[in-house]
Amino acid sequence: MRLVYSGNDWMGTSWTVDYPKADIQFIHGLGRLTDFGFVNPQHRVMTILDTDIFRYPFVYAVEVGNMRLSDLEVKQLREYLLRGGFLVVDDFHGEYEWQNFYSQMKRVFPEYEPIDLPLSHPVFHCYYDIHELIQIPGLQFAYSGRTWEKGGYEAHYRGIHDQNGRLMVMINHNVDLGDAWEWAEVDAYPQHYATLAFQLGINYIIYAMTH
């Protein structure tokens, strides 16, 4: 489910990047690459403050380098995650966007610190065995040849865990899974990036459903 949050971009629409095509393509990939019977084929969006959010174990947010949460959003997101919810954030790049997202998450969890996840972490092995964590670029790679954006040269797969060691927030920094899902069928976008992006997304869902 796509998460709607308050932002600081000029129209407050950073959450809409790649929507709805990336979501549709990812849901299609779930059906094609797995035998999951629980997948709702309809893509959805929901605000943090919607009380129905507690019915969904998995939410996805993009461009979180522009996130500016209200106090009410901070409170509700914290409750959602501590009650078993799982947040995946994606498609934000560079030090400025990292520092902004970090400051927002410290409002949600002042007691927990995001850490770089080792390749041995269960989230990388709960459906597909991921053997390498590389930088998955956006579509701009097709014409620029660059995997990085905004000075974000190194991919980081980070996480925030609760006091029992359960991963609550999966952080894809300097990585663009959404573009890889959205443009997977385009010849100019390398297939090995799209394949890894789908595998990671599927693993994240399985982890969310089983932890």
Side-chain angles (χ1 to χ4, degrees), residues 168-187:
M168 298 183 290
V169 184
M170 181 70 218
I171 304 166
N172 305 292
H173 179 228
N174 297 330
V175 174
D176 195 345
L177 302 186
D179 258 21
W181 300 337
E182 183 177 10
W183 305 109
E185 82 285 5
V186 174
D187 289 341

Side-chain angles (χ1 to χ4, degrees), residues 46-65:
M46 188 170 292
T47 67
I48 295 173
L49 295 179
D50 193 320
T51 56
D52 277 349
I53 195 173
F54 294 100
R55 298 174 54 201
Y56 297 88
F58 177 94
V59 293
Y60 172 71
V62 303
E63 293 281 351
V64 292

Side-chain angles (χ1 to χ4, degrees), residues 5 14 19 22 29 50 53 56-57 63 78 81 96 102 107 110 131 137 142-143 161 183-185 191 198-199 209:
Y5 57 83
S14 56
Y19 181 81
D50 193 320
I53 195 173
Y56 297 88
E63 293 281 351
R78 178 183 173 88
L81 294 169
Y96 174 82
Y102 176 84
R107 294 173 61 209
H131 299 294
Y143 55 81
H161 297 81
W183 305 109
E185 82 285 5
Q191 190 61 42
F198 276 101
Q199 290 177 345
M209 297 294 292

